[in-house]
Amino acid sequence: MGRLETGNAELEKLAAEAAGVAASMLRVETGAQRRITAKSSPTDLVTDMDLACEAAIVDFLSAHRPDDGVMGEEGSVRDGTSGVRWIIDPIDGTVNFVHGHPGFGVSVAAEMGGRVVAGAVLDPILNEAFTAHRGGGARVNGLPMTVRTGGDPALALVATGFSYQHERRRRQAEVLGELLPMIGDIRRVGGAAIDLCWVACGRVDAFFEVGLNPWDYAAGVLIAAEAGAVVQDLNGGPPSSDFVFAAAPAVAEPLLKLLQSAAADRI
């Protein structure tokens, strides 16, 4: 194992430990009455636990790597001097958390030179830790995992998510109207990070969504890629806020063609 890979493996371990700090807090608070406010729309929620979990993650990382940068969904921003920046989503799927519904997780990723090199997504309800580092494969609870092999695109189980903005949701419904007759079925879990990890472990064949933020997909995209998924935007570039796509190789090309035909990135 080379020096860089060794460093990435250490960042993977730290990402999992940091995410675990928040996950342990969430296990005892899921579905409890929370102080809730809205952000970009009435359905875009933030709770006191989002803020508390992000603070706990930042404190943990700062204690271990004080020179690193930080970017968190709930406003934690710090420039670092080490070349490493942590991208944090303390609760990806807050609406699920508020309702006590499965499908939310904690996402922590380490970025160097503009590339995510390590990440962890923890599911507090299923007690699953999805982790990866660049070039080192992907794991769930420490065991290697890969995407589903083989598969018929016409039977593919495809995960997606919907925007908090009402007009964008209408457009996303139009895309589903074109896609659904051509595939096996759609799954809507409610957290992009968990969706991407479910591609990685083979629970779904593919995932796509438009309008995500970096903290939504940073760790999940790396985990899916290291598990063997095709990850990109709609037109062959890297995943971005414009479009995130991840799929098992056997179904990736035909699903991309269907999504391109539906202009799935037009919002």
Side-chain angles (χ1 to χ4, degrees), residues 2 5 10 26 35-36 45 53 84 95 103 112 163 217 255 265:
E5 187 175 344
E10 292 170 352
L26 295 174
R35 186 170 66 252
I36 302 169
L45 305 182
C53 286
V84 174
V95 173
M112 294 180 64
S163 171
Y217 64 83
L255 287 177
D265 61 346

Side-chain angles (χ1 to χ4, degrees), residues 122-134:
L122 269 62
D123 183 331
I125 299 297
L126 295 181
N127 202 26
E128 291 180 323
F130 300 93
T131 66
H133 66 269
R134 188 169 295 278

Side-chain angles (χ1 to χ4, degrees), residues 11 14 65-70 78-86:
L11 293 174
L14 194 60
R65 294 183 59 93
D67 298 327
D68 292 353
V70 168
R78 183 179 70 217
D79 293 330
T81 58
S82 67
V84 174
R85 181 174 71 158
W86 295 94

Side-chain angles (χ1 to χ4, degrees), residues 2-4 14 21 40 49 59 61 66-67 86 93 107 110 126 141 143 149 153-154 158 165 173 202 228 248:
R3 181 178 179 182
L4 179 59
L14 194 60
V21 170
S40 64
M49 281 302 294
D59 286 347
L61 293 171
D67 298 327
W86 295 94
S107 177
L126 295 181
N141 291 344
L143 300 176
T149 58
V158 180
Q165 305 302 321

Side-chain angles (χ1 to χ4, degrees), residues 58-135:
V58 171
D59 286 347
F60 177 88
L61 293 171
S62 297
H64 287 78
R65 294 183 59 93
D67 298 327
D68 292 353
V70 168
M71 178 177 69
E73 179 182 12
E74 307 308 336
S76 298
V77 177
R78 183 179 70 217
D79 293 330
T81 58
S82 67
V84 174
R85 181 174 71 158
W86 295 94
I87 304 174
I88 301 162
D89 194 340
I91 311 178
D92 184 57
T94 298
V95 173
N96 285 352
F97 167 70
V98 167
H99 287 81
H101 191 288
F104 65 90
V106 182
S107 177
V108 179
E111 177 189 75
M112 294 180 64
R115 300 179 74 202
V116 175
V117 298
V121 175
L122 269 62
D123 183 331
I125 299 297
L126 295 181
N127 202 26
E128 291 180 323
F130 300 93
T131 66
H133 66 269
R134 188 169 295 278

Side-chain angles (χ1 to χ4, degrees), residues 19-257:
V21 170
S24 64
M25 298 165 63
L26 295 174
R27 287 189 188 100
V28 298
E29 296 289 345
T30 302
Q33 192 69 34
R34 306 254 45 105
R35 186 170 66 252
I36 302 169
T37 56
K39 295 193 288 187
S40 64
S41 80
T43 55
D44 183 9
L45 305 182
V46 61
T47 72
D48 52 342
M49 281 302 294
D50 291 82
L51 302 174
C53 286
E54 181 162 303
I57 292 169
V58 171
D59 286 347
F60 177 88
L61 293 171
S62 297
H64 287 78
R65 294 183 59 93
D67 298 327
D68 292 353
V70 168
M71 178 177 69
E73 179 182 12
E74 307 308 336
S76 298
V77 177
R78 183 179 70 217
D79 293 330
T81 58
S82 67
V84 174
R85 181 174 71 158
W86 295 94
I87 304 174
I88 301 162
D89 194 340
I91 311 178
D92 184 57
T94 298
V95 173
N96 285 352
F97 167 70
V98 167
H99 287 81
H101 191 288
F104 65 90
V106 182
S107 177
V108 179
E111 177 189 75
M112 294 180 64
R115 300 179 74 202
V116 175
V117 298
V121 175
L122 269 62
D123 183 331
I125 299 297
L126 295 181
N127 202 26
E128 291 180 323
F130 300 93
T131 66
H133 66 269
R134 188 169 295 278
R139 285 154 288 283
V140 56
N141 291 344
L143 300 176
M145 65 176 177
T146 61
V147 297
R148 183 184 295 274
T149 58
D152 180 351
L155 300 176
L157 191 60
V158 180
T160 192
F162 303 123
S163 171
Y164 293 119
Q165 305 302 321
H166 294 168
E167 289 302 318
R168 184 177 288 180
R169 284 186 173 194
R170 290 191 180 95
R171 171 60 189 149
Q172 289 170 320
E174 293 171 0
V175 171
L176 287 184
E178 295 187 43
L179 181 64
L180 191 53
M182 309 300 293
I183 63 172
D185 209 344
I186 290 287
R187 289 293 179 268
R188 160 65 159 147
V189 173
I194 295 295
D195 281 330
L196 286 160
C197 291
W198 284 12
V199 174
C201 71
R203 286 187 190 140
V204 295
D205 296 289
F207 165 77
F208 74 95
E209 191 166 347
V210 63
L212 294 173
N213 292 298
W215 45 78
D216 297 316
Y217 64 83
V221 159
L222 175 70
I223 292 166
E226 288 295 329
V230 175
V231 294
Q232 60 171 84
D233 67 7
L234 191 58
N235 300 302
S240 71
S241 294
D242 292 331
F243 202 82
V244 174
F245 174 84
V251 301
E253 184 176 354
L255 287 177
L256 276 168
K257 289 180 178 178

